[in-house]
Every structure is written in structure tokens, then in C-alpha cells.
Amino acid sequence: MTFTQNFTAVGGSLGWTALIAVIPILYFFWALVIKKMKGHNAGLTTLLVSLVLAVIAFKVPAGTAIMSATQGAVYGLIPIGWIIITSVFLYNLTVKTGYFNIIRHSVLSITEDRRIQALLVAFSFGAFLEGAAGFGAPVAISAALLVGLGFNPLYAAGLCLIANTAPVAFGAIGVPITAMEGPTGIAATEISKVVGRQLPLLSVFLPFFLIVIMAGFKKAVEVLPAVLISGISFALTQFLSSNFLGPELPDVLSALVSLVALAVFMKFWQPKTIFRFKAEQEVAVTVATVGQNEGEHEEHYSGGEVLKAWSPFIILTGFISIWGIPTIKLALTGHYEGTNVILKGVNAIGHALTFMPEVPFLHNKVLSGTSHEPIAAVYKLELLGAAGTAILLAAVVTKFVLKVSWSKWIVTLIETVNEIKYPLITICSVVAFAYVANVAGMTTTLGLVLAKTGALFPFFSPVLGWLGVFITGSDTSSNVLFAKLQQVTAGSVGMDPTLSLAANSSGGVTGKMISPQSIAVATAAVGLAGKESELLRFTLKYSIFLLLLICILTFLQSNVLSWMLP
């Protein structure tokens, strides 16, 4: 029995259908922000609401709707949940062995100022992880590092989510951009150039914005030299690499350049006053003494000891970078067709560990409401190719480098899984909701309404991306979902289609910080499971503000600032 998506399923009206389609989203906001439900309860009940509406209002066969939810839940577990388990596990290993104290001291030796630490870890290091791994890794690892340094967990999670805005459009090795080439036929390099003329403006502003959120305007001005070094070095590299190299490397290169530039700058400059959070300032005298002691203690750590303490994250970076290389990625997932002997061996293992069974009652049973083509549906289980596996292997190597016993290693892994079991339920349920919304046609219905804004479409174009990322949790998924709609609508209102595609990706980055998946990942990483509502309330206003900036910029670039485009 096949089901054809119908975007006017309710009373033959797009408007009424969109009103029904928006109910699960409004419910999710109500459950978290107003009702203050725990994340897993909000996620599960949102999934239930979407299933009921899919079957009753959108006439999706019950079996099809339920199976689409299982497909989403599996994707929530692998690759997303798998990344969270392994990255939190690796962090826990460094804490359990005591090496995280050395990491803390080494960051404090660059600066004890919380503002600069946030720029180094949340902005630069987080962006590097986004470029190398994507999914939940950047927020999970950088937020855990900030908590280890002594940041308030809610602040650490919130700052990392907001900082993650700058790199998300290029994502893991440029995947969000290259994903749009298929459905639209527009070269990824061309889309990359336009994104590279939007996001750097946000990237210059973001470090200052982060510090204002953290410490207020006056305190942000105090560290303006460091903020400018961080933001300008990042934005300039992002512009040059996206316009002259393509979409694969802007994140990795921008992050490394800004990280090194800021660390070197801090050798020659320090803020006049050391900023700490209010809770720390209450014990200012004690903290100052501890700071001095830590400074003295730092001298007792040799370069070798500091290197050894950082080695888990250096190993992680190495593995994640290797996993991201396109040729190796093909071998890890069993799709390599070259002649290299080593890669052929890896390909054999990758092939054996890649499972793509069809989803029963769903595979080719749903016809697209736009193309009327059947939609393929498989459970995508790339066990070797998943970024989480790269992080697990980094944890195995770390076991030998830090001389951790197998029993301690396994106990830490079990404790980690136990620690994040509820966030895993949240992640699986919200991804399941996203899949149900896609299959029923709810997401496309909402997109079609925004596409009806006519001459104002350039302003609303980024909102589509924002909405897509909020629902799916992924800039890549949002781009695949709305790329064709953006292209067709832009053409009909006389807007450059490349600009609307770039706007989808740039607008999408501002939705990442409020996406249920991201909120669940961040709370899991900092041990705040059940506090998802607090984190959403923290990030929501900033998400809307940054989206507004992208909307205004896109609207201006479609007319008076069109000279900015290639």
C-alpha cells in the first residue's frame, strides 16, 4: 500500500494543513519552555503527537508512520548517539586518570580569564571539531572541556551551542554544502562562495557577542584586542577558503588559524583584569591564591606531561580527520573501488560492518508530493564509518598512552552509557519525530507556506533553513529537504537561486542552538539531563536575533548589496 504526500491534506487548503503541521513544533516548545518537562518526556510526547497527526490529518498509514519513527530512532542512535557516548567517554577517561587537571593547568597558563578560555575552547576548538566530525561532537567535547575548566555547566553548554553557529554551514568536511548539489544541479563550489560571503560577517561578530552574553558589554570591550584577533582571523580564513578552495576545509582551516593566532597573541597580551563568574568572585581571594598556586604548579609539568595529557584529544583529532577524508570514508563504508591494497583491506572490513536493510512498510511506499517518485528508506548502519567509531578507537589508543587498565576502561564506558541514557532517549525520539514529519509531508508544507511570501522571499529564505535545522537537527538534512524548494521559489521571484541556497544553509546555522537534538546533546555532555528546558530558554532569544541578522543580510544581498555576490 503506497502513500502519496499531500500538502493540502486538511480541507484541501495549504494554510489549514500548515496550521496542523506546526502543532508538534509548538507542542515541543510548550513542553520544554512553559511546562518545563524533562527532555526525554518532551521528546517522546512530541513524537506521539506527530504520529497521531500524521495518521489522522495527513492520512499516513499507521504502519508507515510508525516505521518512519523507527528509522529516525535508529539514526538517532547511530551515528548521533554513538558520537555522544564515545566523546563523553573519552573526556571521562581523562578525568578518571587525573590528566584533565594538567589540561586545565595548560589552558590556565595561556590565560586564567574565562572570556579568553571561552573563545579558545567553545569558538575555535569547537569549530575545528565541527569541520572534522560534525553531528554532536563539537558541542559535546568542547562543552565538557569548559565544565572541566570550571565553567557553570549550563553556561558551558549554552556558549558552545551559540559558538557552534560560525562553522555549522560547512559542517563535517563540507557535507551540508555538497548535499545541495545533487537535488539542484548547482555546483557546490558556487554555493560555497556565497555562504563564504555571508557567514564571515557573523563569524567576526560572534566572539564579541559570546563575551557580551557571558560578561556584559563593558567586560567584552576590555578584551576587544583578543576578540578581534579571534574573529577576524577566523572570518578571513573562512572567506578565502570557501571562495578559493571549496566547501571542504573552511571550518578546519579557520578554526586552526584562529586558535593559533589567539594562543600566540596571549603570549604578548593579557587583559587588565581577570574575569571569573560571580560564583567564583564570591571567593575571589581564595581563587586568586589558587590561581597563583596553579601558575606555580604549572612549572612542575614538563612539556612532555602536558603533551601526554592532551594526547587523547590530539589522537581524537587525528582519527576524526582520517575518517573525514573522502577516499578513506568510502573504504570505511565499503564503497571504495580503487586499487590501493590497504584501502581494499579496509573496504572489506567496512563492507562487512555496513548494514543498510530496507525499512519494512516504508521503503518505496511513500511517493513524494512534489516529484511523485517513490522515496527509498533504509536503516543506515555504517558501524566502521561512523565518527563515533573513530572516537572509540581514539579511546582505545588513549588507554595505552595513559596506561589505563582494561577493567577501569570498561567500567568508565559502562558508567558513561548509564550517565547519558535519558539524553539518548531524547535524541532518538526527536530524530524519530523529524522523520515522521518528513514522511507525512509536514515539513514541506511549512516550507511551501514560507515560499508564498513573494517579493519578501529573500528575507524569509533563511527562515526555511532555520526551521529545517530546528526540526531535523542537521544543516545537511535541512539543505537536502529545502534545496529544490529554495531554487524554484527564488527563480519565480527573480532572486539568485545560489543566494537562496546559501541562505538556507546560513539561516540553518542559527537554528542549530535550539534544535531538540542539539539541546539533548549539550545537556548530556555537561551532566544536565532533565534541564533541557533551561538550556532552550537560554539559547532561544539568541537564535532568533542571529536569524534576524541573516534575514536582513540576505534581503540586502538580493538587491542593494548584490555587489557582494560572486
Side-chain angles (χ1 to χ4, degrees):
M1 182 183 175
T2 56
F3 160 72
T4 305
Q5 291 175 337
N6 180 2
F7 310 129
T8 55
V10 182
S13 156
L14 180 66
W16 284 114
T17 310
L19 275 175
I20 299 297
V22 83
I23 289 173
I25 297 171
L26 296 177
Y27 170 79
F28 182 79
F29 272 111
W30 173 81
L32 271 189
V33 179
I34 297 165
K35 193 77 175 136
K36 296 179 186 171
M37 270 188 202
K38 290 191 185 300
H40 58 280
N41 290 335
L44 287 168
T45 50
T46 303
L47 172 60
L48 194 62
V49 169
S50 67
L51 282 168
V52 170
L53 291 175
V55 174
I56 294 172
F58 286 81
K59 307 290 187 286
V60 182
T64 303
I66 290 165
M67 292 318 289
S68 70
T70 68
Q71 187 192 10
V74 168
Y75 188 78
L77 206 52
I78 292 179
I80 302 168
W82 185 219
I83 287 173
I84 312 310
I85 293 168
T86 52
S87 53
V88 174
F89 170 51
L90 185 73
Y91 165 73
N92 284 347
L93 275 180
T94 63
V95 173
K96 277 280 177 74
T97 52
Y99 280 99
F100 197 86
N101 283 333
I102 302 177
I103 291 176
R104 246 180 94 249
H105 290 307
S106 72
V107 174
L108 290 171
S109 75
I110 297 174
T111 178
E112 290 179 34
D113 193 290
R114 296 301 191 201
R115 296 166 294 189
I116 311 296
Q117 289 172 1
L119 292 182
L120 287 166
V121 178
F123 184 69
S124 298
F125 187 59
F128 174 80
L129 291 170
E130 179 65 49
F135 295 103
V139 170
I141 294 168
S142 50
L145 276 170
L146 285 183
V147 171
L149 286 171
F151 275 62
N152 168 297
L154 184 73
Y155 248 80
L159 291 172
C160 287
L161 281 171
I162 297 163
N164 196 226
T165 305
V168 162
F170 293 102
I173 320 294
V175 171
I177 305 295
T178 50
M180 288 193 275
E181 188 174 323
T184 63
I186 295 175
T189 47
E190 294 306 307
I191 304 167
S192 174
K193 285 176 188 175
V194 183
V195 175
R197 288 158 197 248
Q198 289 189 322
L199 276 192
L201 297 169
L202 198 62
S203 302
V204 165
F205 169 68
L206 207 60
F208 186 73
F209 186 55
L210 273 178
I211 307 303
V212 170
I213 292 168
M214 258 181 86
F217 187 81
K218 268 188 179 175
K219 296 282 184 193
V221 174
E222 277 181 19
V223 288
L224 197 57
V227 164
L228 291 173
I229 291 283
S230 177
I232 292 172
S233 61
F234 189 99
L236 196 60
T237 313
Q238 192 177 43
F239 165 72
L240 292 171
S241 54
S242 61
N243 273 268
F244 300 104
L245 295 176
E248 290 83 9
L249 291 173
D251 284 353
V252 172
L253 293 177
S254 308
L256 288 176
V257 169
S258 69
L259 193 62
V260 172
L262 185 55
V264 169
F265 179 68
M266 295 311 292
K267 295 281 181 197
F268 303 97
W269 179 90
Q270 286 289 333
K272 283 177 183 169
T273 55
I274 297 295
F275 173 79
R276 295 188 181 88
F277 294 109
K278 277 181 183 168
E280 297 173 290
Q281 286 161 356
E282 284 166 13
V283 282
V285 180
T286 321
V287 172
T289 316
V290 171
Q292 285 162 12
N293 292 343
E294 282 171 345
E296 291 157 19
H297 196 41
E298 167 62 26
E299 292 166 20
H300 296 302
Y301 292 123
S302 66
E305 286 174 308
V306 172
L307 187 66
K308 189 175 179 182
W310 275 101
S311 64
F313 296 100
I314 297 167
I315 295 161
L316 162 89
T317 301
F319 270 106
I320 278 179
S321 301
I322 292 165
W323 252 241
I325 297 167
T327 318
I328 293 175
K329 185 87 180 158
L330 285 173
L332 291 166
T333 54
H335 295 112
Y336 177 72
E337 293 176 355
T339 54
N340 184 292
V341 178
I342 296 169
L343 287 182
K344 282 169 85 172
V346 172
N347 188 72
I349 302 167
H351 184 72
L353 291 175
T354 299
F355 307 96
M356 300 187 81
E358 295 174 0
V359 183
F361 307 111
L362 183 63
H363 179 68
N364 290 340
K365 300 286 186 199
V366 176
L367 300 181
S368 163
T370 47
S371 67
H372 301 291
E373 294 288 323
I375 300 169
V378 294
Y379 294 114
K380 195 175 175 187
L381 299 165
E382 296 173 341
L383 302 185
L384 186 61
T389 305
I391 303 170
L392 183 71
L393 290 173
V396 172
V397 176
T398 295
K399 173 229 171 302
F400 295 104
V401 174
L402 302 187
K403 298 184 171 62
V404 184
S405 67
W406 276 116
S407 58
K408 190 174 188 177
W409 192 89
I410 290 163
V411 166
T412 308
L413 178 59
I414 292 165
E415 285 173 355
T416 302
V417 174
N418 192 47
E419 179 189 329
I420 60 175
K421 58 180 183 287
Y422 288 119
L424 285 177
I425 294 170
T426 310
I427 292 163
C428 289
S429 58
V430 296
V431 183
F433 150 62
Y435 273 64
V436 172
N438 285 350
V439 161
M442 295 181 197
T443 313
T444 310
T445 301
L446 295 171
L448 289 168
V449 169
L450 278 173
K452 292 231 180 277
T453 49
L456 285 175
F457 180 70
F459 180 84
F460 286 104
S461 173
V463 180
L464 262 180
W466 180 80
L467 180 71
V469 173
F470 169 76
I471 296 173
T472 64
S474 156
D475 206 42
T476 305
S477 302
S478 171
N479 288 348
V480 169
L481 194 62
F482 289 137
K484 195 68 192 170
L485 182 68
Q486 289 274 18
Q487 185 186 22
V488 172
T489 310
S492 69
V493 298
M495 178 186 178
D496 181 352
T498 317
L499 175 60
S500 71
L501 293 172
N504 198 80
S505 203
S506 300
V509 304
T510 62
K512 185 93 173 185
M513 67 184 80
I514 56 165
S515 157
Q517 281 182 45
S518 301
I519 297 282
V521 165
T523 49
V526 298
L528 283 180
K531 299 279 179 71
E532 290 84 0
S533 59
E534 286 180 42
L535 187 55
L536 180 61
R537 286 204 301 281
F538 180 80
T539 56
L540 183 58
K541 53 187 175 290
Y542 304 124
S543 172
I544 292 167
F545 170 67
L546 292 171
L547 171 65
L548 193 61
L549 294 184
I550 296 286
C551 289
I552 293 167
L553 176 65
T554 305
F555 184 71
L556 293 175
Q557 284 181 327
S558 74
N559 44 69
V560 294
L561 295 182
S562 58
W563 54 268
M564 288 179 70
L565 303 179

